[in-house]
Amino acid sequence: MTEGLVVILGATSAMAEALARLHAAEGASLLLAGRRGDRLEAIAADLRARGARDVATAALDLAAEADPAHQLAAWAQGRPVAAIYLLYGVLGDQGRAEADLDHAREILEVDFTSAALWCLGAANLIEGQGRGSLVVAGSVAGDRGRQSNYVYGAAKAGLGVLVQGIAHRLALRGSGARAVLVKPGFVDTPMTDHMTKGGPLWAKPEAIARILRRAADRGGPVIYAPAFWRAIMLIIRLIPAPIFHGRRL
Amino acid sequence: MREPLVTEQLSSWGRVHRAPHAVVRPNWRDELPAAATAAAAHPGGALAVGLCRSYGDSGLNPNGAAIAMARLDRVQAFDPATGVLRAEAGLSLDALIRLALPHGWFPPVVPGTKFVTLGGAIANDVHGKNHHRAGTFGRHVRRLGLLRTDGSLHEVGPEDETGLFAATVGGLGLTGLIAWAEIQLAPVSGARLDSEDIAFGGLDDFFQLSAESEATHAYTVAWVDCVAGGRALGRGVFSRANPSTDPDRTLHGAPRLSVPGPAPAGLLNPVTLKAFNAVYYAVKALRAARRKVHYDSFFFPLDAIGDWNRLYGRAGFHQYQCVAPQSVARDAAAALLAQIARSGQGSFLAVLKTFGAIPSPGLLSFPMKGVTLALDFPNRGAATLNLLARLDAVVREAGGRLYPAKDGRIDKAMFQAGYPRLPEFTRHVDPGLSSGFWRRVAA
């Protein structure tokens, strides 16, 4: 991977921290953005010890940022940006989202609207500099609307199409920049701590981080993490509605 | 962090002790006080757990609560000029080596596996092949942060006069949760050691080799054939090494082999054991040579096989490690080996080493000047426990003791006999914490 700043949006998540450690071991320059400044600093101190050339932190509510493009430019400070990872999001509570539309709005705005604006701002930046990667965490939940998590799934599905479009745009215009959508399945992180975990379908954040890291260099535009989810979701998508509707999925 | 606690099955490394625990898994140090409070409220008490490498139940709290510390693994400060490192207690030695060796630093003491946390290394006051030069791990702790279940946070170091530091080092997690630790690393040129393997025919040769080697070598240890009886009693291969001046700092890789599930019962049995030992001894005797080796294969040979503990099958195994004082070391070692050879039970990995005189900082620290023997016994139920009881008698007669980090069956009397400072230690036990081991020896 070429030199440059690595920006991680949503840096306090488990996958993000594992990813940041991979970059630190390569001696990268990092910019960590998230809500909790104290936690960002704890991660930053750790990354510096693990070999990061330098680590800056930015405490802000990514979902409330009015001008992502401006913010990215401010962080870059004229330096080339090697990669921008969009890894923030809320899982939300499906049941609550159905009853309380404000909660549904929150999921949609955080996971789709705000994320989409960051993606568009990032796309403009990397296209303008003629290099760099945008890597976005989607989800297998976006592959088909399921009664158990369709509000979250809808947001991720929308984001996925947006990133596909950006990937097409960047490739077609020969900018030298690229965009990749990485779709994890079940990952053992604090976000999923309320679920029963264990078994072969569950991945560790470190495994997803390695896939994200590789995605910044090559591959895509759509990568399932781990790869076996591609086959699983193909089957899920193909199940006819009359059968699917009878199942509590 | 999830609330309430979720039930998970936790197992000892020996896989004999497996029990449900109510687990809370903090992700950030600011979540630790709430996690400790929630866990301590459990009727079974609580215990911090790391990477679960303790062989017996000293690292478990069966049917109680556990605070899983492995996600608290962040470095807080590391000075490459002085080698002082401060980190959350869930940092593993594996991760520590990866970040420190490129700067020319290495943990001052390492046990037989790098997959232990700082908290675990301190709570067991682990020792290594360089005990005669560097003492135990606790000697290199400058200070640590201890969180007690009453919410109090204590920062203590070796000069602490309350006794809390001495109780916490080797204290098996019973004095509080070790939240962070600051340790002094040891300088190294690179990743290699100049090592030498020497085959020896019996215990007298072993003790002679040890005495000579401790003066000239930083690291010494012996593998001993615990099946060989009669005139071959105590034959083995002595291994000694010094850090190499080779500046290459190539790091270790991940284990490439792994045991995918419990092996069929009886894979490791007296027949395969005898055959293995005979071949191992013969091969080593032929090769007895000086070689430059990588730290990973010298210090952590078993780590090369992921989940090697599964080779012992569903029944698991008991690890037994004892120490006998210097004055009776030779006779005690001979008596132990004779008992084991006669029993026909025994392990592939019988390790013999002499400890030095450097005092350990913990009230319950295990090493003493003398000889230590460590081995695994496949769990055959009562037969194994009876053998271990016979070995206990030898150790007790010799005035020695067992190592809690390895133990899962020691009885109260045996433990108390070996650890005269136990009453002093008990004063510092946190009433909200408990473990399977503690309930067995202190009730």
Side-chain angles (χ1 to χ4, degrees):
Chain A
M1 186 179 179
T2 45
E3 292 287 297
L5 182 67
V6 174
V7 176
I8 302 180
L9 306 174
T12 57
S13 79
M15 288 177 353
E17 187 167 8
L19 170 71
R21 287 180 175 181
L22 293 177
H23 277 289
E26 297 169 21
S29 294
L30 290 143
L31 186 295
L32 310 177
R35 273 179 302 177
R36 298 269 312 244
D38 54 344
R39 293 182 177 181
L40 291 174
E41 265 314 312
I43 298 175
D46 177 69
L47 296 177
R48 290 179 197 115
R50 290 176 193 246
R53 177 177 306 133
D54 53 79
V55 187
T57 62
L60 78 163
D61 186 350
L62 292 162
E65 177 53 49
D67 194 346
H70 179 78
Q71 187 58 257
L72 283 169
W75 287 334
Q77 293 178 332
R79 289 175 295 170
V81 173
I84 300 167
Y85 294 92
L86 194 149
L87 303 179
Y88 75 89
V90 294
L91 189 54
D93 180 325
Q94 176 61 43
R96 191 176 149 211
E98 288 174 5
D100 173 6
L101 296 190
D102 282 332
H103 184 58
R105 175 186 295 116
E106 185 195 351
I107 298 172
L108 295 169
E109 284 184 354
V110 172
D111 294 350
F112 177 67
T113 309
S114 73
L117 296 174
W118 279 101
C119 286
L120 290 167
N124 290 346
L125 187 153
I126 57 180
E127 186 176 50
Q129 63 178 21
R131 53 177 279 243
S133 301
L134 169 65
V135 180
V136 178
S139 170
V140 299
D143 278 27
R144 179 170 187 160
R146 299 181 287 121
Q147 63 87 27
S148 59
N149 67 358
Y150 60 89
V151 177
Y152 174 77
K156 287 300 195 181
L159 187 63
V161 169
L162 187 99
V163 174
Q164 271 185 313
I166 292 174
H168 186 188
R169 155 192 167 186
L170 294 174
L172 185 65
R173 299 183 202 171
S175 64
R178 39 192 290 286
V180 182
L181 177 74
V182 174
K183 294 201 269 192
F186 297 131
V187 190
D188 178 13
T189 70
M191 184 190 246
T192 50
D193 270 351
H194 62 287
M195 300 169 67
T196 324
K197 315 195 210 197
L201 292 183
W202 283 87
K204 291 263 163 244
E206 290 75 18
I208 308 301
R210 283 193 290 275
I211 297 171
L212 290 167
R213 176 67 194 88
R214 204 161 43 236
D217 288 346
R218 61 183 178 277
V222 177
I223 297 174
Y224 285 83
F228 62 73
W229 282 102
R230 185 177 293 269
I232 294 176
M233 296 319 294
L234 177 65
I235 293 167
I236 295 281
R237 284 203 304 277
L238 291 177
I239 295 174
I243 296 174
F244 202 85
H245 285 179
R247 311 196 79 80
R248 177 168 286 283
L249 283 170
Chain B
M1 186 179 70
R2 65 190 172 195
E3 306 258 22
L5 286 61
V6 175
T7 303
E8 284 177 32
Q9 191 85 344
L10 296 182
S11 170
S12 64
W13 190 248
R15 294 164 49 88
V16 173
H17 302 87
R18 284 175 272 193
H21 291 65
V23 180
V24 61
R25 206 172 286 273
N27 304 289
W28 302 95
R29 44 185 180 271
D30 58 69
E31 292 180 338
L32 196 53
T37 306
H42 194 284
L47 186 73
V49 301
L51 294 169
C52 296
R53 253 54 178 193
S54 290
Y55 287 83
D57 59 357
S58 55
L60 295 179
N61 187 24
N63 303 303
I67 302 136
M69 297 290 290
R71 284 185 186 164
L72 294 184
D73 65 347
R74 296 175 192 90
V75 177
Q76 296 171 273
F78 172 48
D79 185 349
T82 60
V84 173
L85 177 139
R86 177 176 152 150
E88 294 171 354
L91 180 72
S92 67
L93 292 188
D94 168 47
L96 194 165
I97 292 170
R98 287 183 188 287
L99 70 94
L101 183 60
H103 298 281
W105 298 98
F106 201 81
V109 171
V110 293
T113 171
K114 52 191 183 286
F115 300 118
V116 297
T117 58
L118 285 187
I122 295 168
N124 292 280
D125 199 18
V126 298
H127 59 269
K129 297 175 182 174
N130 63 347
H131 181 270
H132 58 287
R133 290 279 176 92
T136 57
F137 193 87
R139 286 195 74 246
H140 307 272
V141 174
R142 289 157 53 100
R143 40 190 192 133
L144 59 87
L146 189 75
L147 177 70
R148 309 201 89 197
T149 59
D150 62 6
S152 61
L153 189 58
H154 307 256
E155 187 172 316
V156 288
E159 346 65 39
D160 160 56
E161 280 161 12
T162 65
L164 187 56
F165 182 79
T168 301
V169 172
L172 304 168
L174 295 163
T175 62
L177 308 183
I178 301 172
W180 58 265
E182 184 177 279
I183 60 176
Q184 173 66 63
L185 301 177
V188 288
S189 303
R192 289 184 165 71
L193 298 103
D194 295 318
S195 84
E196 187 179 1
D197 285 344
I198 304 167
F200 57 89
L203 278 178
D204 289 328
D205 294 337
F206 163 75
F207 282 102
Q208 174 145 5
L209 271 168
S210 284
E212 287 167 8
S213 305
E214 286 184 359
T216 52
H217 289 75
Y219 300 97
T220 65
V221 74
W223 165 84
V224 63
D225 181 348
C226 59
V227 170
R231 287 201 6 237
L233 188 77
R235 74 174 180 184
V237 178
F238 194 90
S239 187
R240 61 191 189 183
N242 280 313
S244 168
T245 50
D246 185 341
D248 178 75
R249 292 176 184 174
T250 306
L251 291 170
H252 60 276
R256 278 174 299 175
L257 294 174
S258 195
V259 183
L267 179 67
L268 306 181
N269 62 55
V271 174
T272 55
L273 177 60
K274 222 175 168 78
F276 173 87
N277 280 6
V279 171
Y280 188 87
Y281 180 73
V283 166
K284 284 286 193 173
L286 282 175
R287 291 183 65 198
R290 292 167 200 247
R291 276 170 302 146
K292 197 186 289 188
V293 294
H294 190 266
Y295 67 79
D296 201 33
S297 53
F298 184 77
F299 292 126
F300 315 120
L302 289 177
D303 286 352
I305 304 171
D307 295 319
W308 62 264
N309 53 341
R310 288 179 172 157
L311 287 172
Y312 283 96
R314 284 205 185 283
F317 64 102
H318 287 279
Q319 162 87 189
Y320 188 88
Q321 181 165 4
C322 58
V323 61
Q326 177 82 338
S327 51
V328 294
R330 199 235 168 268
D331 291 339
L336 289 166
L337 290 173
Q339 282 280 359
I340 294 162
R342 236 192 333 268
S343 77
Q345 305 186 51
S347 80
F348 295 78
L349 303 156
V351 173
L352 203 56
K353 178 180 167 46
T354 46
F355 280 145
I358 299 179
S360 308
L363 298 178
L364 298 186
S365 291
F366 163 69
M368 61 169 70
K369 184 154 172 60
V371 70
T372 183
L373 173 66
L375 50 171
D376 321 333
F377 295 104
N379 178 22
R380 301 217 175 87
T384 312
L385 295 174
N386 290 339
L387 170 61
L388 298 187
R390 291 199 293 282
L391 299 181
D392 281 358
V394 174
V395 174
R396 191 155 173 184
E397 165 94 20
R401 58 193 176 199
L402 302 194
Y403 187 21
K406 308 282 182 94
D407 173 74
R409 36 61 62 193
I410 196 176
D411 67 39
K412 189 154 89 167
M414 177 74 187
F415 183 69
Q416 289 177 357
Y419 290 90
R421 304 189 78 178
L422 183 58
E424 209 179 323
F425 168 78
T426 306
R427 289 205 295 275
H428 295 280
V429 170
D430 184 321
L433 303 178
S434 184
S435 67
F437 172 86
W438 186 243
R439 288 194 285 280
R440 196 154 36 76
V441 304

